[in-house]
Amino acid sequence: MSKSIIDQIFDHLRTIKQRSESSLKRNDWPAYRQAVADYGALRHECMTPVTEVHRVDVEGIPCEWLVPSNATEDARLLYIHGGAWMAGGLASHRGLASRIAEASGIPTLTLDYRLAPENPFPAGLEDCLSIYGWMLENGPHRSDPCGRAFIAGDSAGGNLTLASLLALKELPEIMPDAAVVLSPATNFNASGGSCESRRDRDPVIDHGRSAGFRKLYYPGHKPQEPLISPLYGDLTGLPPLLIQVGDAETLLDDSIHF
């Protein structure tokens, strides 16, 4: 009897998890980044975009517009990819972001923000803020202000989404109308009970084994700084948020506490 698609997915994720953990032990960043890039490789169609793709460089930062067939004229979405702040990019999340664009009808802008450990905090966050400000004045086909703006991201990208919201409170840029985060990392102290209670169930993240490399993201900073761990920030004035997280995830309590 052949395995169900769910079993195949979990087997694939566990294999990627083993590869990524092995490469982290060796500080082999190219191997780690390739492992993250292969998350969607179980089914090729998951990696294939369902929208138009337009490449654009913004002040040296590679970006892509993912433009759906039913694109609205006045709204734009900035999507920030995950990958533990040290991996991921345009290619790894193109399929996911394009499906979000097609489902929502909103032109979606993705970016290759600078990655740690070569470019630690706040480099990636600065890139996200810079591209968000550019998006407010530039659409996929012309330079003009947008009517509605949104930010979304997964995992480390969810962390950067929330950190961007906190940072925007202190900047002149317009706050987005809403934000969406998928399995966001909100607390670098990893104090939530699910870090241990879901450790054997989560096929992707093991907080115990990844604690050391996470510190490479913020050398010289404390983990409780709000732009590193948004859980410690002042959430007053943030726009409406949709937070999605699975019950089997070690990041479950990060989302609940936030």
Side-chain angles (χ1 to χ4, degrees):
M1 182 176 180
S2 61
K3 286 187 176 181
S4 70
I5 183 59
I6 298 299
D7 289 333
Q8 293 177 46
I9 290 171
F10 270 74
D11 286 347
H12 174 69
L13 293 177
R14 292 187 183 102
T15 299
I16 297 295
K17 182 178 181 179
Q18 292 172 356
R19 285 174 52 195
S20 62
E21 289 177 348
S22 175
S23 59
L24 287 172
K25 289 178 181 178
R26 306 190 306 271
N27 290 326
D28 187 344
W29 302 114
Y32 175 69
R33 288 165 182 161
Q34 185 58 56
V36 172
D38 289 342
Y39 266 117
L42 178 64
R43 285 176 171 257
H44 178 71
E45 60 268 28
C46 294
M47 306 288 286
T48 304
V50 295
T51 60
E52 295 180 12
V53 180
H54 303 291
R55 180 69 177 264
V56 58
D57 285 347
V58 181
E59 298 181 359
I61 302 173
C63 301
E64 284 182 352
W65 277 110
L66 305 169
V67 184
S69 57
N70 57 338
T72 183
E73 291 291 329
D74 70 333
R76 291 163 203 162
L77 166 67
L78 175 65
Y79 191 85
I80 305 174
H81 70 78
W85 303 271
M86 302 183 191
L90 298 177
S92 66
H93 284 65
R94 186 179 292 124
L96 170 62
S98 75
R99 282 162 175 77
I100 292 174
E102 188 68 25
S104 64
I106 299 176
T108 297
L109 183 63
T110 58
L111 75 153
D112 259 339
Y113 58 83
R114 287 172 290 173
L115 300 174
E118 299 93 336
N119 299 281
F121 175 86
L125 176 60
E126 290 172 346
D127 290 348
C128 293
L129 292 170
S130 175
I131 296 302
Y132 173 75
W134 181 86
M135 185 187 74
L136 293 178
E137 300 297 330
N138 296 272
H141 302 298
R142 59 189 183 278
S143 299
D144 63 346
C146 69
R148 295 176 297 148
F150 306 93
I151 306 180
D154 63 281
S155 193
N159 170 278
L160 289 168
T161 296
L162 298 175
S164 294
L165 298 180
L166 293 174
L168 286 169
K169 291 172 59 176
E170 311 301 325
L171 298 174
E173 275 85 357
I174 298 172
M175 187 72 76
D177 293 88
V180 179
V181 286
L182 314 176
S183 307
T186 69
N187 180 12
F188 263 88
N189 283 324
S191 57
S194 60
C195 291
E196 287 300 324
S197 65
R198 299 328 196 255
R199 186 171 181 173
D200 294 332
R201 295 174 60 192
D202 192 324
V204 177
I205 296 176
D206 185 328
H207 273 281
R209 295 180 181 176
S210 61
F213 90 85
R214 289 200 306 271
K215 294 180 180 179
L216 297 174
Y217 173 61
Y218 58 90
H221 295 267
K222 297 180 179 180
Q224 61 268 33
E225 292 181 27
L227 296 185
I228 295 173
S229 295
L231 181 66
Y232 297 98
D234 176 8
L235 310 186
T236 305
L238 296 193
L241 293 170
L242 171 63
I243 302 176
Q244 293 189 336
V245 64
D247 181 70
E249 295 187 56
T250 56
L251 291 172
L252 174 64
D253 281 354
D254 273 11
S255 294
I256 292 175
H257 293 165
F258 190 86

